[in-house]
Amino acid sequence: MRRLAIRGSNPGGRGALKRLSEFSLHDLDSVSLILRGGSVIDWHRLNLTGPEMVRDFVRNHELDPDSERDQAYLRGVQEQATSYLQRNFNFAMPKPVRGASFAELVLMASAPGSGHRQQCACTILKVMQIINHMAGRELLFRLPVSDRDLFHLVEEKVYRVVGQMLSEGFPITEFVGGRKNLDSTYTKLLSKRESTAVAIYDKLRFRIVTRDREDILPVLLYLSERLFPFNYVVPNQSTNTMFDFEAFCSTLPELAPLVPQMQDRDEGDLGGIDNRFSAREYRTIQFISDVPVRVPPHILDVAPSGTADLGRVVYMLCEIQLIDAETEAANETGSANHRAYKERQREAVFRRLRLGTRTPKDPREQSS
């Protein structure tokens, strides 16, 4: 497995890292979605305030808000979304919504209240999310490049973002990136009921260790603004055994008034995926995200004809883990450590290979 480990050396300034007390309602909703493994399709509004926030949101999808080509791509996706809604649901929308630019549409979806325009804008953006994602996946399948080459593009992006964080003195004590090796992939597939390659989300994985527990959420927010868009976290694939996020925010005077306005508060915690090989005392935050990567021109130049309408961005699945130094040290003691986890997994796989679901009657068969 290819690995890169970087240790932070500057315990000083935080650069552009937000403090928890500075989180906006949009920040709370974004982080909550990631921790819970929810879906933005279930949202009823956005909270992006102002044109510059919209431009940053576009950039985070590896699209250039000043590029005529990228603007044309967004218009095309928006037209497909409105056409889909009209064809399938006879969806009526006011003229200002139908004629809005993408930036205007996002600001309408973020407008206070829940009027008809705001609801229409949200509905269109949800469909655009799906169309854009499908276009990126289709482009990925059509490109004449190997997974190894695409993994390299993702790694370059991750190392660039995290490297910048380290150079600015963010509270990160360790960063490790790697690719799952073949033996680990085989073992993981053999341990799962859905024993197909599509069930593996963590072929690329990255772990960030923060100095203190209170640093985890600001670092997570920063990553969601510069590495992956919060809306492309894979639903139902998040594990959060570190924070009761809503209760935690309610203890902070600056955030407590925003908690009642957060979305999906009545759906419970989605962030507790059961991994039967993890010890009960194991603590972590980890999730799967589709990381957008802009395809270099030299690769697009040799792509098959008919790919121009699919844009210039592909999405690559990555597992991202966040933990603080004290919790990591606790995880490495007793039955929670990684070696014990892998041993439990290997034992279960070997038993499944030999016996399937059959219960052994011969003690020699059970221990062999």
Side-chain angles (χ1 to χ4, degrees):
M1 180 175 69
R2 183 185 178 197
R3 295 172 64 85
L4 173 71
I6 303 174
R7 294 187 179 274
S9 58
N10 180 3
R14 291 169 179 256
L17 194 65
K18 274 189 177 180
R19 297 183 183 276
L20 281 167
S21 59
E22 299 172 330
F23 276 29
S24 66
L25 181 57
H26 168 74
D27 299 335
L28 293 181
D29 274 340
S30 300
V31 170
S32 177
L33 181 85
I34 297 166
L35 295 177
R36 297 172 59 254
S39 171
V40 75
I41 304 301
D42 297 317
W43 281 17
H44 57 272
R45 67 164 183 269
L46 289 175
N47 288 295
L48 295 169
T49 55
E52 195 53 43
M53 283 191 73
V54 178
R55 290 171 63 84
D56 289 341
F57 183 65
V58 172
R59 291 189 190 100
N60 200 20
H61 287 73
E62 291 291 345
L63 297 169
D64 182 355
D66 297 318
S67 164
E68 292 185 6
R69 181 169 180 172
D70 286 355
Q71 289 179 13
Y73 171 75
L74 282 173
R75 285 196 299 272
V77 173
Q78 188 171 333
E79 289 168 2
Q80 291 179 63
T82 56
S83 177
Y84 164 82
L85 289 167
Q86 290 169 341
R87 286 196 313 271
N88 290 275
F89 307 104
N90 196 26
F91 187 71
M93 60 192 75
K95 286 184 178 180
V97 177
R98 195 165 56 240
S101 66
F102 176 76
E104 292 169 338
L105 199 67
V106 172
L107 292 176
M108 284 182 188
S110 304
S114 56
H116 184 55
R117 290 186 184 182
Q118 189 264 347
Q119 185 183 60
C120 287
C122 279
T123 303
I124 295 169
L125 289 171
K126 291 177 182 181
V127 180
M128 288 184 67
Q129 155 108 358
I130 299 301
I131 293 173
N132 176 61
H133 192 231
M134 289 188 64
R137 299 300 281 178
E138 179 66 21
L139 178 60
L140 178 66
F141 292 136
R142 291 196 193 183
L143 290 178
V145 293
S146 66
D147 281 352
R148 179 182 295 273
D149 292 332
L150 292 169
F151 287 168
H152 182 66
L153 293 177
V154 179
E155 289 168 336
E156 282 186 334
K157 179 177 180 178
V158 174
Y159 299 153
R160 182 173 65 251
V161 171
V162 178
Q164 182 67 27
M165 297 171 75
L166 290 169
S167 70
E168 293 183 7
F170 283 23
I172 296 173
T173 62
E174 185 177 4
F175 166 64
V176 180
R179 305 180 189 182
K180 184 181 283 293
N181 63 38
L182 282 177
D183 281 358
S184 293
T185 301
Y186 300 154
T187 301
K188 185 162 187 174
L189 283 171
L190 288 166
S191 73
K192 299 165 72 74
R193 287 188 179 274
E194 59 275 25
S195 301
T196 63
V198 73
I200 296 295
Y201 294 112
D202 61 344
K203 293 179 182 178
L204 281 175
R205 50 193 177 176
F206 305 95
R207 178 165 58 92
I208 294 176
V209 182
T210 65
R211 188 170 59 238
D212 299 311
R213 187 170 180 265
E214 66 181 18
D215 297 318
I216 292 177
L217 298 179
V219 167
L220 175 58
L221 177 65
Y222 185 94
L223 292 172
S224 74
E225 293 174 338
R226 290 163 176 81
L227 179 61
F228 62 89
F230 69 90
N231 50 305
Y232 277 117
V233 168
V234 178
N236 300 322
Q237 294 297 324
S238 293
T239 298
N240 168 29
T241 50
M242 295 282 293
F243 293 95
D244 182 335
F245 185 63
E246 185 175 322
F248 178 74
C249 293
S250 297
T251 65
L252 302 176
E254 299 89 350
L255 301 184
L258 299 177
V259 170
Q261 304 175 53
M262 290 170 58
Q263 302 193 65
D264 302 333
R265 295 183 61 225
D266 58 342
E267 293 187 5
D269 182 13
L270 302 180
I273 288 179
D274 178 29
N275 187 328
R276 59 195 177 100
F277 305 117
S278 293
R280 182 169 297 180
E281 62 269 27
Y282 183 76
R283 295 290 178 264
T284 189
I285 288 173
Q286 63 188 51
F287 54 92
I288 308 296
S289 179
D290 253 322
V291 175
V293 178
R294 195 168 180 93
V295 181
H298 72 272
I299 295 179
L300 286 174
D301 289 344
V302 295
S305 59
T307 58
D309 293 339
L310 299 175
R312 311 181 74 178
V313 178
V314 296
Y315 291 85
M316 299 292 292
L317 290 168
C318 296
E319 180 184 85
I320 299 172
Q321 181 183 27
L322 286 168
I323 195 168
D324 64 281
E326 182 179 355
T327 303
E328 183 192 40
N331 282 346
E332 287 303 314
T333 62
S335 61
N337 71 73
H338 188 67
R339 182 178 298 177
Y341 165 86
K342 297 299 288 185
E343 185 59 31
R344 288 190 291 270
Q345 186 185 52
R346 280 193 294 267
E347 288 177 358
V349 166
F350 193 39
R351 183 186 184 282
R352 185 184 188 191
L353 288 172
R354 290 180 296 126
L355 304 175
T357 58
R358 180 166 57 91
T359 301
K361 297 180 180 180
D362 188 335
R364 292 172 300 177
E365 187 180 46
Q366 189 171 18
S367 60
S368 61

